[in-house]
Amino acid sequence: MDVYERLVDHKAKLALVGLGYVGMPIAVAFAKQIDVIGFDFNKEKIAKYKSGIDPTNEVGDEAIKETTVDFTADPTRLREASFIIVAVPTPVNPDHTPDLTPVEGASHFVGQNIQKGTVVVFESTVYPGVTEETCVPIIEKESGLKCGVDWKIGYSPERINPGDKVHRLETITKIVSGMDQETLDTVAKVYELVVKAGVYRAESIQVAEAAKVIENSQRDINIAFMNELSIIFHKMGIDTKSVLEAAGTKWNFLKFQPGLVGGHCIGIDPYYLTYRAEQFGYHSQIILSGRRINDDMGKYVAESLVKLLIRNDVPVKNARVAILGFTFKENCPDTRNTKVIDIYNELGEYGITPIVVDPEADAEEAKKLYGITFKTLDDVKDMDAVLIAVKHREFVDFKPEDIAKFYDPAHKTKVFIDLKGMYNKDSYQDGWDYWRL
């Protein structure tokens, strides 16, 4: 009886290593079909899951209360599993080189607890070669077991989009790969238990790794083009959104928008690819150019706000500025790698300490990572400028009269940055100095 059959017959267990925005939904989905152990190093996170709380908001508290996932912070529980999925973050260092510490750490824990016959599948986004050249040797060294003989390796890149209730694990085609045909078949059949959209069998692990890393690199380059267009059109006095709407009437125009590029994928994955390329003697031109543009957008937005203050005769130093929205994307509590912090920090260089409001964000996380304490919408009053940075559901229905209440009544003109272009600019003409990317 193979691993897949034993899983569906409840004679074997699947273990998920890393229960964040990606790993936890995977564990919950599989638990509806087979026996699942959910392991994470973070004991506080495990305690929340055990008490029925979903700190990620990805599946909701009710789903956590109802799931049969066996949550644990004990790595020795991995010994009970015949199929192990690793879904840990892959960030970058301050110099933009890949930080493989989390995936290497997970490999050590897996190696210390793996049993013969186990299939290990990595989901973490990495450059081509990491799974077989970095992870496999660590597991072999820790376990004393030979890959391909005593256990098998596969790779299936995550495609979960945090905060997205439409494109979910079940509805997105899943790329799967394995070290040999037998492993590929097993990995494919296991994922087919939960992925209703089906799986795509990549011809090798490195092909699957490369496919994932270019998905977000492509988006990054396209957004960088939009951001560069925004900078150009602002200099010309042309509204970028109006230009894109006009161009978008052509059937093959790609409908990307300018904006801040944060989070754990689009702003990070390109650096993994270019790092690997340099190991082969190639220095990226297009990819790194796009990265430079996107990394500088927070500074550009802050400078634009300062120019608006000056244009309206508002003293810059100690100006009262409110930033609404702090997470890296809308309707998601995750503040890690948010680019809104770049706006905040750049304004600080001008002597401005903005107040920040975000009803969706993880306030504890933001305080720990950035030293920022969030305010409430009730605290936004007598402002010199307001910047709405994230398209949260709480902000979408604001009318001009709602936003007007945030300002110092003494101002004849209200400086307003609608970063995402959420509102109709024609509604912010008289008495407003309205700006958007």
Side-chain angles (χ1 to χ4, degrees):
M1 185 180 292
D2 65 13
V3 171
Y4 170 77
E5 291 173 338
R6 289 191 291 117
L7 286 171
V8 296
D9 288 344
H10 298 278
K11 294 179 179 178
K13 296 179 181 180
L14 179 149
L16 209 299
V17 178
L19 298 175
Y21 290 83
V22 172
M24 185 275 295
I26 296 172
V28 170
F30 272 116
K32 296 175 183 177
Q33 307 291 334
I34 57 180
D35 298 331
V36 176
I37 298 169
F39 167 73
D40 197 283
F41 312 101
N42 189 327
K43 293 182 180 179
E44 292 180 5
K45 185 188 295 181
I46 292 297
K48 287 183 178 180
Y49 286 141
K50 283 188 172 182
S51 61
I53 298 173
D54 175 13
T56 71
N57 288 343
E58 284 300 300
V59 300
D61 294 349
E62 200 60 37
I64 294 296
K65 292 174 184 175
E66 294 176 355
T67 187
T68 59
V69 175
D70 187 357
F71 294 111
T72 181
D74 180 5
T76 63
R77 294 291 309 281
L78 298 178
R79 297 172 186 174
E80 302 172 26
S82 296
F83 196 98
I84 299 175
I85 298 174
V86 179
V88 295
T90 43
V92 292
N93 295 305
D95 63 355
H96 295 149
T97 57
D99 177 7
L100 295 177
T101 305
V103 79
E104 289 174 344
S107 298
H108 283 287
F109 274 98
V110 170
Q112 291 164 7
N113 297 285
I114 192 173
Q115 302 298 305
K116 282 189 176 182
T118 300
V119 175
V120 180
V121 178
F122 282 82
E123 288 219 2
S124 305
T125 303
V126 292
Y127 57 77
V130 168
T131 302
E132 293 163 295
E133 297 171 15
T134 300
C135 301
V136 166
I138 292 174
I139 296 173
E140 286 184 328
K141 183 178 180 181
E142 291 284 0
S143 65
L145 301 177
K146 184 69 175 175
C147 183
V149 178
D150 301 310
W151 60 280
K152 297 294 185 73
I153 190 74
Y155 181 78
S156 179
E158 57 88 6
R159 279 177 162 173
I160 288 176
N161 188 22
D164 189 336
K165 303 305 179 185
V166 177
H167 301 98
R168 313 297 299 155
L169 171 68
E170 297 85 355
T171 61
I172 305 172
T173 301
K174 196 84 165 72
I175 295 175
V176 295
S177 64
M179 64 179 298
D180 52 34
Q181 189 61 46
E182 180 186 27
T183 307
L184 176 59
D185 290 340
T186 299
V187 174
K189 287 191 292 183
V190 170
Y191 276 104
E192 284 172 340
L193 288 171
V194 295
V195 182
K196 305 308 178 188
V199 302
Y200 176 86
R201 300 184 179 210
E203 66 178 45
S204 70
I205 288 175
Q206 289 207 30
V207 165
E209 291 170 324
K212 170 57 182 177
V213 83
I214 70 164
E215 289 174 13
N216 288 321
S217 297
Q218 181 188 65
R219 283 187 59 79
D220 192 47
I221 291 167
N222 279 294
I223 296 171
F225 177 48
M226 296 298 114
N227 281 332
E228 188 167 50
L229 290 179
S230 179
I231 294 170
I232 292 170
F233 291 142
H234 269 293
K235 291 183 178 295
M236 297 179 179
I238 301 173
D239 181 62
T240 307
K241 187 173 182 180
S242 297
V243 174
L244 295 178
E245 287 174 350
T249 59
K250 188 180 181 186
W251 74 91
N252 61 353
F253 185 81
L254 302 179
K255 295 184 180 181
F256 287 88
Q257 300 291 326
L260 303 179
V261 182
H264 320 289
C265 298
I266 301 178
I268 290 177
D269 296 356
Y271 286 124
Y272 273 70
L273 181 56
T274 57
Y275 173 84
R276 185 60 163 172
E278 288 183 358
Q279 291 181 335
F280 285 83
Y282 182 79
H283 182 73
S284 165
Q285 299 177 62
I286 293 176
I287 299 172
L288 288 180
S289 292
R291 276 284 74 234
R292 283 192 293 271
I293 291 171
N294 287 340
D295 276 345
D296 287 344
M297 288 308 290
K299 183 175 185 291
Y300 171 70
V301 171
E303 289 174 347
S304 298
L305 188 151
V306 169
K307 290 176 182 178
L308 291 176
L309 291 174
I310 294 171
R311 186 164 75 190
N312 289 279
D313 298 320
V314 178
V316 173
K317 189 174 182 179
N318 297 320
R320 289 179 56 79
V321 175
I323 296 177
L324 274 55
F326 190 75
T327 57
F328 85 91
K329 68 180 296 183
E330 64 271 12
N331 306 322
C332 173
D334 198 352
T335 66
R336 294 172 299 167
N337 202 34
T338 175
K339 290 301 178 182
V340 181
I341 189 62
D342 293 349
I343 300 174
Y344 182 94
N345 289 337
E346 188 64 22
L347 289 175
E349 296 293 316
Y350 290 92
I352 300 171
T353 303
I355 67 169
V356 182
V357 176
D358 195 317
E360 292 282 344
D362 185 331
E364 290 182 16
E365 182 180 74
K367 178 68 174 177
K368 179 180 178 181
L369 293 178
Y370 308 105
I372 293 176
T373 300
F374 292 145
K375 301 293 185 180
T376 68
L377 283 173
D378 291 336
D379 296 314
V380 185
K381 50 191 175 184
D382 298 326
M383 292 292 131
D384 297 316
V386 174
L387 187 160
I388 299 186
V390 186
K391 195 176 181 179
H392 284 323
R393 57 177 69 90
E394 290 86 350
F395 306 150
V396 170
D397 294 328
F398 280 167
K399 301 292 189 295
E401 53 268 30
D402 299 320
I403 298 172
K405 296 175 183 177
F406 298 146
Y407 290 85
D408 184 339
H411 290 311
K412 293 180 180 179
T413 305
K414 302 173 183 63
V415 174
F416 178 40
I417 289 188
D418 173 16
L419 193 63
K420 303 284 287 186
M422 295 166 56
Y423 309 107
N424 183 351
K425 65 181 177 63
D426 294 335
S427 299
Y428 297 87
Q429 297 295 321
D430 297 335
W432 296 84
D433 198 342
Y434 175 88
W435 189 96
R436 65 188 181 191
L437 280 175

